Amino acid sequence: AHDARFDGRLFVGGWVCSRSLLRAYDLHTGEMLWEDELSDEDKPSEPVLQIAEGRLVSIVQTARHPVVRAYAPTDGTILWQTAEEEFSHGGLLADRSTVAVVGSLSDDASTYRYGFRARDAASGALRWVWDVNDFHGAPIGRGYRTALGHGTFLEYIETRDAPVSSWLIARDSTTGETIWEKRVSLHDSLADIIIGPERVHVVGVSGLYNERCDCWTNQFYVACLDVAS
C-alpha cells in the first residue's frame, strides 16, 4: 500500500478484496472521509500518491497505460485526470507546483526509450516534454534515474558507447530548461539521487570481490554537487 499525509488527513492507496482503492481518513480519529475505486476492466495497479499545490495526485498503471488523477483532499472531487497514452509504464514525481510522469516509452526490451511529462499540479496543463533514446549521439543504456525537488529535475543517463558514459543533467522543473550537465564516473551503478536546497547528493555503489570470504561486497560512495552549477 502507498500513503500520503496532508492537512490532518491520511490518504492510502492499495488493494482491498481485489479492488484497487484510494481512501482518505481523518488522521486524528481514523474516520474514513471518502474513497475512490478504479474500474476493474482497466486492471489497475495500486495507486502511488504525491502531494503538490494542495492537490492529492495519484498514478495507477492500467493494462494499457498510466493514468494520473488529481483530487481535492477535502472531499475526493477529481479536479483533473489524464491518460499518459505514450507510456508503456511510468512513475510519479512531484515538486512545488509541478507533477510529472517519468517512464518507458517502449515495450521492446532491446530498446531503451524514456520520457518525462511535466504538468501544472493545479490544472493538469502540460508544461514541458522530454523524450530520450540517445544522448550525445550514443544510444541510451539500462541505467536511467530521475529525481525532482527544490525546483530542479535531475536526470542520470547511461549511454552505451565505448566506454560506457554516465551523465547528470539538471533542468528547471517548471520550464524544462537545462541548468547544467556533467559527465560523471559512477563505476558500477547508481544507487540514489537526493536533491537538497543547495546540494545534489549522488550515491553510487561498486561491487568488490573479497578473496578472504570468496564473496562480493558493495562499497557505497557519495558525490556532492552544487544545485545551481
Side-chain angles (χ1 to χ4, degrees):
H2 301 269
D3 66 84
R5 300 182 184 192
F6 178 73
D7 196 25
R9 295 173 174 83
L10 172 66
F11 307 97
V12 180
W15 285 94
V16 179
C17 299
S18 300
R19 301 160 65 204
S20 183
L21 298 175
L22 172 59
R23 287 176 172 173
Y25 296 89
D26 185 291
L27 194 56
H28 305 290
T29 66
E31 176 189 0
M32 191 177 77
L33 304 174
W34 56 266
E35 75 173 21
D36 184 38
E37 180 177 359
L38 299 162
S39 171
D40 290 338
E41 64 187 29
D42 286 335
K43 299 179 181 177
S45 66
E46 293 183 346
V48 176
L49 309 176
Q50 297 279 5
I51 300 291
E53 199 74 358
R55 270 67 169 163
L56 173 67
V57 185
S58 76
I59 185 171
V60 294
Q61 182 69 47
T62 72
R64 298 185 296 275
H65 45 249
V67 175
V68 181
R69 287 180 179 174
Y71 299 86
T74 52
D75 59 9
T77 299
I78 298 176
L79 303 175
W80 57 266
Q81 175 176 306
T82 181
E84 300 288 359
E85 297 181 355
E86 295 173 279
F87 289 92
S88 59
H89 61 272
L92 186 67
L93 301 174
D95 174 53
R96 297 179 180 174
S97 64
T98 301
V99 293
V101 176
V102 59
S104 175
L105 298 171
S106 174
D107 289 319
D108 183 355
S110 65
T111 303
Y112 297 105
R113 295 180 59 239
Y114 301 99
F116 188 85
R117 304 288 183 271
R119 297 184 178 274
D120 182 276
S123 66
L126 188 64
R127 283 183 169 171
W128 57 276
V129 172
W130 169 244
D131 293 342
V132 55
N133 58 7
D134 64 75
F135 192 71
H136 289 299
I140 294 299
R142 183 173 55 184
Y144 182 80
R145 294 284 190 89
T146 56
L148 186 64
H150 299 281
T152 302
F153 167 61
L154 195 68
E155 183 177 34
Y156 167 79
I157 295 177
E158 182 184 278
T159 58
R160 290 185 289 173
D161 48 4
V164 172
S165 297
S166 300
W167 297 83
L168 285 172
I169 303 97
R171 304 178 188 277
D172 183 283
S173 65
T174 302
T175 66
E177 294 181 1
T178 300
I179 302 170
W180 52 261
E181 66 177 50
K182 295 183 184 294
R183 190 169 183 168
V184 293
S185 176
L186 294 179
H187 304 291
D188 289 344
S189 62
L190 180 72
D192 203 0
I193 304 172
I194 303 169
I195 302 178
E198 298 180 355
R199 297 286 187 270
V200 173
H201 301 277
V202 182
V203 183
V205 57
S206 181
L208 299 175
Y209 178 69
N210 189 327
E211 294 183 353
R212 295 180 62 184
C213 66
D214 190 25
C215 62
W216 286 87
T217 59
N218 289 331
Q219 178 180 356
F220 290 86
Y221 54 91
V222 178
C224 186
L225 305 171
D226 189 285
V227 168
S229 60

